[in-house]
Every structure is written in structure tokens, then in C-alpha cells.
Amino acid sequence: MNATVTNDETPLMTKDLAALHTPAPPQEPLLQVRGVTLRYNTPEYLVTATYKVSFDLNRGDRLVLLGPSGCGKSTLLKAIGGHIRPAEGEILLHGKAITRPGTDRGMVFQEFDQLLPWKTALENIVFAIRNTRRTTRAEVVDEAGTLLKKVNLGGFEHSYPHSLSGGMKQRVAIARCLAVHSAIILMDEPFASLDALTRRKMQEDLLALWSESRFTMLFVTHSVEEALTLGSRVIILSSRPGQVSAEFDIDITAHNELSNPVLIRLRERISRILFKDAPEYSI
Amino acid sequence: MQAPSAQISLPGPAESSLNTGVPEPLPRTTKKLSATKRLFLISPVRKALLLAALAIFWQVYAEMLNNELVLPTFTSTVTAFLRSCLDGELTNNIFNSLKILCVAYSMGIVFAGLLTTLAVTTRIGTDLLELCTGMFNLLPAIALLPLALLWFGLGYASIIFVMVHSVIWPLSLNIYAGFTGVSPTLRMVGRGYGLSGPGFIFKILVPAAFPHILTGLKIGWAFSWRTLIAAELVFGTSSGGGGIGWFIFEKKNQLEIAELFSGLMAIIIIGVLVENFFFKTLENRTIQKWGMKL
Ligand SMILES: Nc1ncnc2c1ncn2[C@@H]1O[C@H](COP(=O)(O)OP(=O)(O)OP(=O)(O)O)[C@@H](O)[C@H]1O
Ligand SMILES: [Mg+2]
């Protein structure tokens, strides 16, 4: 059963990924995260979410942050988004420190309440475009409609967020994020709430979109499979506080086909790192 | 075609379906209620009936009492209401009251808006708002009337002063509660589009806090409407153009008690109209439609 599914999809995946992996010339990283420590100040505690995390993100990278729940992935994305100041270290975009949020970084949040509830699905996307670019309304509406169809939500243009399911809301948020044409797209577990089939489809669509426009993407997940499917690089964060415990370049010749022996081995290695790191649970 | 036959062959006890293996037909999901029952399910209909009962009770009791100076009958109140509406006396006074109300209410909204804007943008503004609402919200508007008289003299200015006072604090409190309750995610979304300052407030905070703002508007309206009537009663003769409160005051002096009752009736009717039509419509078109009802 499993084998047939993957076999069916082999040609597509191979084609996509062959197109994706053209070696890029060395260049200054688009985003540099240097020794970043992030803390939350609550009245009672000082929570350290990440501790001295460093990595680079090159133009066109699909970098996946993989780590257990609570290791500070969302916090890190919010810091890159400019919503949280690092307590230590710095985050550079185009070589300049990030001080505030901006439209050069698009973000899909993990939370379900990220859509503006007073606007329809379509209006949410229109709002995003009109706040970031100057175009006529007709054009924007057109573009927003196309994007909604791309995330399989044709027909839901005029639905308000409260009438959409969790997964549908996330898909609107993805469409809204893509609409802005940011230099970097930050995605915080956008597919976590989708069923396996839709997730699969969304992953493929995301890769297809990527090969169209080659945006730079930082993707957070706690699924090893998803990391291997989507990433051109995977960074593994240890838990509490989050620290980089390993980094893998996914071999360009080993197309991101999960049944590929190279990826199976990689997957085992990653799982071992993740589990070694995991706290002991007792049931 | 099939439904009636299925009904006829309805198996009696539950076990029969077990024995025969024939699945028991599902109960009919829709069954028409009788017309009167359906009518009785509509809340306005029930309320109208209650209202009629109360009116009859009033009429009967007033006739038994038979003292027009204490309690005029329902019918004479309605006649007085219609008469004073038609000859323009009551309508003019209503118009005057509503005019002042609109002025004071809008001023209250503007001031509350400015105060809360200051409160969400600066820390000193936050302190100021918390301090002022904490103190002045406890001060009944009517208690300020003597002071208003001293400062502004007899006339509209004094009434408007106490009415603005009655709107501004509860409204600010609600707007501010709404603003601070806006989810961090929505804030980050707004900031992510480069919104800040007035753009951020009007495009993100105001709609996101609208359920609270609407509550504040309702409370502010109710307070200012009560304050207005009370202030007019206190100012009585000298406030110039008059108003419903003034109308009531005058009718009491002239011992036209049916007219006095018709003034009270006008106050209730206007209140009901504003609450059930204006605010209800506003609510249906906004937070109800957005699924943001508190
Ligand atoms: N607003 C906050 N105030 C205080 N502590 C917080 C806050 N948000 C997160 N934390 C803490 O920071 C740590 C990292 O949280 P974060 O949301 O970044 O985790 P995550 O890696 O995204 O987890 P998940 O995979 O479950 O989404 C956690 O220990 C959490 O308790
Ligand atoms: Mg998270």
C-alpha cells in the first residue's frame, strides 16, 4: 500500500527536485543568526527559549528547523520576524541587524487566530497585498482569488475565518503569506493540523511554488518526514533551552524521496539525535 | 411515496427489529408543530403578549383607583402621548433631547478615543487612563451638576459637560480593555505588514477590539441618556429649548399627569428603539457576522 503510493508520486517528486537543485554560487547569507539567546520575562520566571543558536540562511534555501515541542522554534521565528529582541547575539538580514517587523519577512504563525476575523478569506489576502504594495484593487482581488485556488480554497473566498476549519485557516494564512512576495518566508508548523493527504498535497504544492519563484524559506516542524520532504537543509534543535544539536545538508543527488536509502539512513540518524535528546517520559 | 408506507408498517417494540433483522426506521427528523405552538416559540410574540397583559392590568387597576392625579389609565396615557406628539410639544422636546445627546455622545466618543489612543501608545497615557477611569467612573454624573452650573452656568454647556463625563469613562475603560485583549498573534500580523501608529490602531486594534468597543458604546449610551433626562429635570425651566426631562417636569407642575406618563413612555420607546434597532443592527453587521460575539 505504502509502496504504491510512493511509486505513484516518484516521477513528480523527482522532476520537481531535479529542477530545484542547481548549485548556487557562494554568496553572503541572506539571513545570519549569530549566537542568539532568546528569553521570556514573566513576572515569576526568566524562561530561556533558545540558547546561543547560530545558523545561516542562503538565498533560495529551504531550511527546516526540527525540534521537540517547547524547544523555542516559534520563539526563534518570531525573533527573525522582528517581534522579539534577542537577549544575546544578533540576527542580520542583508547584513543589517533586524530591529523591527517588516514586509521583507512573511510569516505563517502556528496559532489559528492569525487571520483577521473581521475580513473574509479573500479580504485577508487583499489586506496583506494592499498594505505592502501599490496596485489597483481589481488586480489585487484577482491575485488573491488565484492564490486561494492554489491552496485549494476556491469557493471559500467570501467565508469569514470563524466558519473555516483549522486547516483551512492555515491554508488561507499560507496564501496570504505568499501574496506579499517577501524575501524570506517563515513558516511555523503550517501543516501540523492537516490530514495526511492534504498535508502531502500542500507539501508538494509548496515545493512547486518554490521551484516557480525560488523564495527563501525557513520552515519549522517537528515531523522528521516533513523535514526530509521539504528541506534542502535541516537544523535540529535540542530541547529546553533550544540549541543547535546537528545540521544536515540534504544531499542534492538524493532526491527527497522518503524511500531513498540515503534518506532512510538520514532519517534514522535524525531520529536518534532527537530521541537521545528527549526527556524521559513515564506513563 | 415510501415514507407513508414505512410509517404504516412501523414495528412496535424495539425487539422486533432484532428478531426480524429489519432495521428500525429512523424517527422522523422534522415534524411540523401546530401554528399556535410555533407562534409561541417566537420570543417577540411572547413578549408582546406579556406587554398586552401588563397594559390590561394597568388599565384595570387605574380604573379601580380612579384617581387621575396618581395613576392615569393606560388609554388616557396613550391618548395624551398621541396628542402631545401630534401637536408637536412632545416631539419638539424629544428632538431637543436627542440633539444634545448626539453632540455629547459624539464628544464622549472622540475624547475616549483620544484617551485610549494615548493609553496604548505611551506608558504615562496608560497610567493616566487607569487613574482617571478608576476615580471618575465612580462619580455619578449628576453629582457633577452643581459644579457644572458653577462653571458653565445654566444651559446646554452644563448638560453636555455632565453627559460627556457619563460617556467617557465607561467607554474608555471598555475600549482599553478591548485593545489590551487583542491577541499577540494579531498584533504581530499587523506589525508584520509594517503597520504602526494610527494605521495599526484603526486597521488592527479597533476591529479586533470591536466586541468590547460595542459594549462600551452601549453602556455609554445608556448612561448618557439617563444623565440627560436627570439633568433636564434638575435644570428644569432655564435650560432654554427644553427636552423630555423638562417636559416631564413641566407636566408635573401643571398636574397633567397623563402627559407626564406619556413623557416616561417616550423615554422607554426611544431606549427600546436605540437598543433593539440601532445597536442590534450594528451588532449583526459586525461582531455577529465576524463570529466575534463575546
Ligand atoms: N509568551 C511566553 N511567555 C513566557 N514563556 C513562553 C512564551 N511563549 C513561549 N514560552 C516558553 O518558551 C519556550 C519555547 O516556546 P516555543 O513556543 O518557541 O516552542 P516551540 O518550539 O515552538 O514548541 P511547539 O513545537 O510546541 O510549537 C517554552 O518553554 C515556552 O514555555
Ligand atoms: Mg511553536
Side-chain angles (χ1 to χ4, degrees), chain A residues 78 83 101-103 105 109 111 113-118 124 127-128 131-132 160 162 176 180, chain B residues 183-195 203-205 207-208 288-292:
Chain A
K78 283 169 189 166
H83 303 291
T103 49
R105 285 145 287 150
F109 293 88
E111 290 84 3
D113 63 343
Q114 63 184 308
L115 297 181
L116 312 178
W118 58 92
N124 260 284
F127 179 82
N131 271 299
T132 50
Y160 282 90
H162 74 97
R176 186 176 71 172
V180 176
Chain B
S183 90
T185 320
L186 276 187
R187 285 168 190 277
M188 286 190 270
V189 168
R191 297 269 182 231
Y193 296 140
L195 292 176
K203 289 183 178 172
I204 303 288
L205 290 187
Q288 179 84 43
K289 190 165 85 177
W290 305 334
M292 290 172 81

Side-chain angles (χ1 to χ4, degrees), chain B residues 155-172:
Chain B
Y156 288 129
S158 292
I159 298 192
I160 287 177
F161 173 76
V162 289
M163 283 175 75
V164 168
H165 166 87
S166 74
V167 177
I168 188 169
W169 309 118
L171 183 56
S172 303

Side-chain angles (χ1 to χ4, degrees), chain B residues 43-119:
Chain B
S43 143
V45 172
R46 289 197 308 269
K47 284 180 183 152
L49 285 176
L50 259 173
L51 205 62
L54 283 175
I56 291 169
F57 175 76
W58 175 2
Q59 182 72 17
V60 170
Y61 186 70
E63 298 220 356
M64 269 162 50
L65 211 60
N66 196 17
N67 186 345
E68 280 280 309
L69 284 185
V70 174
L71 184 65
T73 59
F74 175 69
T75 42
S76 62
T77 303
V78 171
T79 348
F81 180 78
L82 293 177
R83 192 177 53 233
S84 49
C85 276
L86 287 179
D87 70 15
E89 195 189 359
L90 184 57
T91 30
N92 275 342
N93 282 308
I94 290 176
F95 180 72
N96 274 327
S97 288
L98 289 181
K99 204 169 62 188
I100 303 183
L101 183 85
C102 285
V103 173
Y105 193 55
S106 355
M107 278 172 74
I109 292 173
V110 170
F111 286 141
L114 290 175
L115 201 63
T116 39
T117 303
L118 199 67

